[in-house]
Amino acid sequence: MSREIGKTTKERERIKRKQNENKTARERLESKFHDAFDRYPYNSDELLKYRLYKDQKCKCAYSMEPIKLDKDIFFEPGYVEIDHILPYSRSFDNSYSNKVLVLQSENQMKRNRTPYEYFRDEKLNKWVDYECWVKENIENPKKRNKLLTKNYSEVEKTEWAPRTIVNTQYIARFFAQFIRSSLKFSDPKVKLPVVCMNGRITSMLRGLWGISKVREDDDLHHAKDAAVIATITPRMVKLITEYRKARESKRYQKNEVFVDTETGEIIDFKYSFPMPWKNFRLELIARLSDNPAAEIEALKNNDKLSAYTDKNDVKPVIVSRKPQRKVTGQMHKETIRSVREEEGAQISVIRKNISELKMADKDNLYAPDTNKKLYDAIFQRMKEYDGDAKKAFEQPFYKPTNTPGKQGPQVKTVKLKQTKPSGIKIRGGIVDNANMVRIDIFTKAGKYYIVPVYTSHVLCGELPNRAITRDKDEKDWQIIDAAFEFKFSLYPYDLIKFVTKKDTFFGYYRGCDRTNGAIKISLPNKNEDSIRKTGPREIIKYEIDVLGNYYEVKKEDRRGLEDFGNLKSGEDMD
């Protein structure tokens, strides 16, 4: 749980004092409201409008025009509105420091922009006057900074973490309540069936016990936290809370002795917070190693552990990840390529940015004779930069003209031709497939064949029967017939073992390269890095449960696309 440890007496007194000050200020404001309108506010919005009106020196926060404090029009719809300085849809900031009172017309023109974005687009000449007005009239420093924020995209990045913590707190509370109401225990007399542990307490004990946590290493840091949480008792939580309060609110002396300044009582906190059992830290580190059996055997030989009887029962801990068996993403890429006939063969024509050109593209130019002078100039420029198009066209490039001193139009793309076009036919052209849902693995004569299944196949109800063939167009791929044996399908995050002539790779399937059939695998406990491998001697698929136990899949039946039913994109076939 992401909540505070118990607060000290001084902190509680400060909070109470602030609450009393806010209550007094509200009563004073309500009294002034009554003097102005001959009545008390009907709701909190009315009082908030009045408070903002007073804080802004009676002017609209954007136009700087006076706002009439007339009881007949002040609260009428269409006159003044409360606006979020930093748009709520972007900041999720509903605090008072992010609110201003503005004329409705200004609010409508500002829309989902910050004040600076609004002035930059609509009233640039007024920004200097506006900036001076804000500095002179807005006393709240937080509000003043928000009104004058220029680069909110950068501010959003720094404010993301605090907002996420708040979301985490809400989710954790909801989930804890869900578990309490749903989880059934065999013994109804259990008093504390579900205990919510504070994250700071976990962190404190982890540090005291010498258990390091480096998130960047791998995802096993969650297992470290789980082991620590499982050993924390209610008495330990109480002890840590008292310890923290004593350090912050009592006079500190040597040897962890504190004196209660109110009672004069001497409190001895000579607690060492011992580990749950002897060598707990060493055992945890060994269990989370790449070879726990060997590590634990070494500890046993040094009389560090004695509870383990058979080292062969100890397997490496694997982070369990849920396979993604959803039909998601685009059916096809956005670029539609035209299909044309040239010398008896079909070709497609695409546009390519000149900054992405390669010297080899010179041989694939479409209709090179029609723009020979332009193409010669483009590749001559690239030659001057050793074929680096990015550097060659870092500055704008213009079409050469026959008139000296005259500049032609800027050139951004050129047309290239591709032979043997494949993909999805649409609007008289052709587009490339987009998202790969899964790959189907076949074998024949000890060799593996990969058939990619795309979102387009699912939505069209077409089960593909061509296996990826290196450096060939899809229409020339290997056709899969009855002579091939189907092994299994692989979805993202299916657990597999990939065996080559020299090495064995164990991890999660992450994707496949349709150009050469290379399979991408991420290590089981590290989600970011991936390995690309081709030419398997063997591929083994495993099913893994939520606790990390995995079992080899011996045989699967190939699931037809009818198993997806009438799914729409984004729905789960399970």
Side-chain angles (χ1 to χ4, degrees), residues 37 67-75 79:
F37 298 102
I67 294 176
K68 299 177 183 178
L69 192 65
D70 189 321
K71 60 183 179 182
D72 293 329
I73 64 171
F74 188 76
F75 297 112
Y79 183 50

mmCIF file of all heavy atoms in Angstrom, residues 37 67-75 79:
data_model
loop_
_atom_site.group_PDB
_atom_site.id
_atom_site.type_symbol
_atom_site.label_atom_id
_atom_site.label_comp_id
_atom_site.label_asym_id
_atom_site.label_seq_id
_atom_site.Cartn_x
_atom_site.Cartn_y
_atom_site.Cartn_z
ATOM 1 N N PHE A 37 -24.239 39.922 -1.409
ATOM 2 C CA PHE A 37 -25.409 39.401 -2.118
ATOM 3 C C PHE A 37 -26.663 39.281 -1.245
ATOM 4 O O PHE A 37 -27.682 38.766 -1.704
ATOM 5 C CB PHE A 37 -25.089 38.019 -2.716
ATOM 6 C CG PHE A 37 -23.982 38.039 -3.729
ATOM 7 C CD1 PHE A 37 -22.706 37.617 -3.389
ATOM 8 C CD2 PHE A 37 -24.197 38.502 -5.022
ATOM 9 C CE1 PHE A 37 -21.681 37.636 -4.315
ATOM 10 C CE2 PHE A 37 -23.179 38.518 -5.946
ATOM 11 C CZ PHE A 37 -21.906 38.100 -5.597
ATOM 12 N N ILE A 67 -14.809 42.350 -13.837
ATOM 13 C CA ILE A 67 -15.995 41.496 -13.709
ATOM 14 C C ILE A 67 -16.987 42.219 -12.803
ATOM 15 O O ILE A 67 -16.636 42.670 -11.711
ATOM 16 C CB ILE A 67 -15.631 40.119 -13.118
ATOM 17 C CG1 ILE A 67 -14.739 39.345 -14.092
ATOM 18 C CG2 ILE A 67 -16.890 39.320 -12.804
ATOM 19 C CD1 ILE A 67 -14.246 38.018 -13.544
ATOM 20 N N LYS A 68 -18.235 42.315 -13.256
ATOM 21 C CA LYS A 68 -19.250 43.030 -12.478
ATOM 22 C C LYS A 68 -19.758 42.161 -11.332
ATOM 23 O O LYS A 68 -20.229 41.045 -11.555
ATOM 24 C CB LYS A 68 -20.419 43.425 -13.380
ATOM 25 C CG LYS A 68 -20.030 44.359 -14.521
ATOM 26 C CD LYS A 68 -21.228 44.656 -15.410
ATOM 27 C CE LYS A 68 -20.826 45.534 -16.583
ATOM 28 N NZ LYS A 68 -21.983 45.790 -17.486
ATOM 29 N N LEU A 69 -19.669 42.689 -10.139
ATOM 30 C CA LEU A 69 -20.197 41.968 -8.973
ATOM 31 C C LEU A 69 -21.655 42.379 -8.771
ATOM 32 O O LEU A 69 -22.021 43.052 -7.817
ATOM 33 C CB LEU A 69 -19.367 42.288 -7.725
ATOM 34 C CG LEU A 69 -19.631 41.388 -6.513
ATOM 35 C CD1 LEU A 69 -19.216 39.961 -6.816
ATOM 36 C CD2 LEU A 69 -18.890 41.897 -5.285
ATOM 37 N N ASP A 70 -22.475 41.950 -9.695
ATOM 38 C CA ASP A 70 -23.897 42.281 -9.685
ATOM 39 C C ASP A 70 -24.673 41.014 -9.359
ATOM 40 O O ASP A 70 -24.565 40.013 -10.076
ATOM 41 C CB ASP A 70 -24.306 42.838 -11.057
ATOM 42 C CG ASP A 70 -25.729 43.398 -11.048
ATOM 43 O OD1 ASP A 70 -26.606 42.787 -10.404
ATOM 44 O OD2 ASP A 70 -25.949 44.435 -11.698
ATOM 45 N N LYS A 71 -25.477 41.048 -8.304
ATOM 46 C CA LYS A 71 -26.194 39.835 -7.883
ATOM 47 C C LYS A 71 -27.189 39.347 -8.919
ATOM 48 O O LYS A 71 -27.627 38.204 -8.874
ATOM 49 C CB LYS A 71 -26.907 40.070 -6.555
ATOM 50 C CG LYS A 71 -27.940 41.180 -6.578
ATOM 51 C CD LYS A 71 -28.533 41.373 -5.185
ATOM 52 C CE LYS A 71 -29.552 42.503 -5.170
ATOM 53 N NZ LYS A 71 -30.105 42.722 -3.812
ATOM 54 N N ASP A 72 -27.541 40.196 -9.896
ATOM 55 C CA ASP A 72 -28.482 39.780 -10.929
ATOM 56 C C ASP A 72 -27.806 39.032 -12.071
ATOM 57 O O ASP A 72 -28.467 38.288 -12.808
ATOM 58 C CB ASP A 72 -29.220 41.003 -11.493
ATOM 59 C CG ASP A 72 -30.133 41.643 -10.452
ATOM 60 O OD1 ASP A 72 -30.648 40.893 -9.592
ATOM 61 O OD2 ASP A 72 -30.311 42.868 -10.479
ATOM 62 N N ILE A 73 -26.508 39.238 -12.274
ATOM 63 C CA ILE A 73 -25.844 38.601 -13.415
ATOM 64 C C ILE A 73 -24.621 37.758 -13.022
ATOM 65 O O ILE A 73 -24.186 36.915 -13.803
ATOM 66 C CB ILE A 73 -25.403 39.644 -14.465
ATOM 67 C CG1 ILE A 73 -24.336 40.584 -13.875
ATOM 68 C CG2 ILE A 73 -26.593 40.412 -14.994
ATOM 69 C CD1 ILE A 73 -23.696 41.490 -14.911
ATOM 70 N N PHE A 74 -24.050 37.981 -11.827
ATOM 71 C CA PHE A 74 -22.797 37.321 -11.462
ATOM 72 C C PHE A 74 -22.914 35.798 -11.542
ATOM 73 O O PHE A 74 -21.994 35.121 -11.996
ATOM 74 C CB PHE A 74 -22.364 37.752 -10.051
ATOM 75 C CG PHE A 74 -20.991 37.266 -9.673
ATOM 76 C CD1 PHE A 74 -19.859 37.880 -10.181
ATOM 77 C CD2 PHE A 74 -20.827 36.193 -8.814
ATOM 78 C CE1 PHE A 74 -18.580 37.435 -9.830
ATOM 79 C CE2 PHE A 74 -19.569 35.738 -8.457
ATOM 80 C CZ PHE A 74 -18.440 36.367 -8.974
ATOM 81 N N PHE A 75 -24.040 35.274 -11.070
ATOM 82 C CA PHE A 75 -24.220 33.820 -11.059
ATOM 83 C C PHE A 75 -25.079 33.310 -12.215
ATOM 84 O O PHE A 75 -25.418 32.127 -12.268
ATOM 85 C CB PHE A 75 -24.833 33.360 -9.732
ATOM 86 C CG PHE A 75 -23.960 33.645 -8.541
ATOM 87 C CD1 PHE A 75 -24.332 34.582 -7.595
ATOM 88 C CD2 PHE A 75 -22.756 32.987 -8.394
ATOM 89 C CE1 PHE A 75 -23.522 34.847 -6.509
ATOM 90 C CE2 PHE A 75 -21.942 33.243 -7.300
ATOM 91 C CZ PHE A 75 -22.317 34.174 -6.357
ATOM 92 N N TYR A 79 -22.146 34.128 -18.004
ATOM 93 C CA TYR A 79 -21.385 35.341 -17.678
ATOM 94 C C TYR A 79 -19.938 34.995 -17.300
ATOM 95 O O TYR A 79 -19.005 35.285 -18.050
ATOM 96 C CB TYR A 79 -22.065 36.119 -16.565
ATOM 97 C CG TYR A 79 -21.351 37.421 -16.240
ATOM 98 C CD1 TYR A 79 -20.997 38.320 -17.254
ATOM 99 C CD2 TYR A 79 -21.003 37.739 -14.936
ATOM 100 C CE1 TYR A 79 -20.330 39.503 -16.962
ATOM 101 C CE2 TYR A 79 -20.341 38.922 -14.631
ATOM 102 C CZ TYR A 79 -19.996 39.799 -15.656
ATOM 103 O OH TYR A 79 -19.323 40.958 -15.371
#
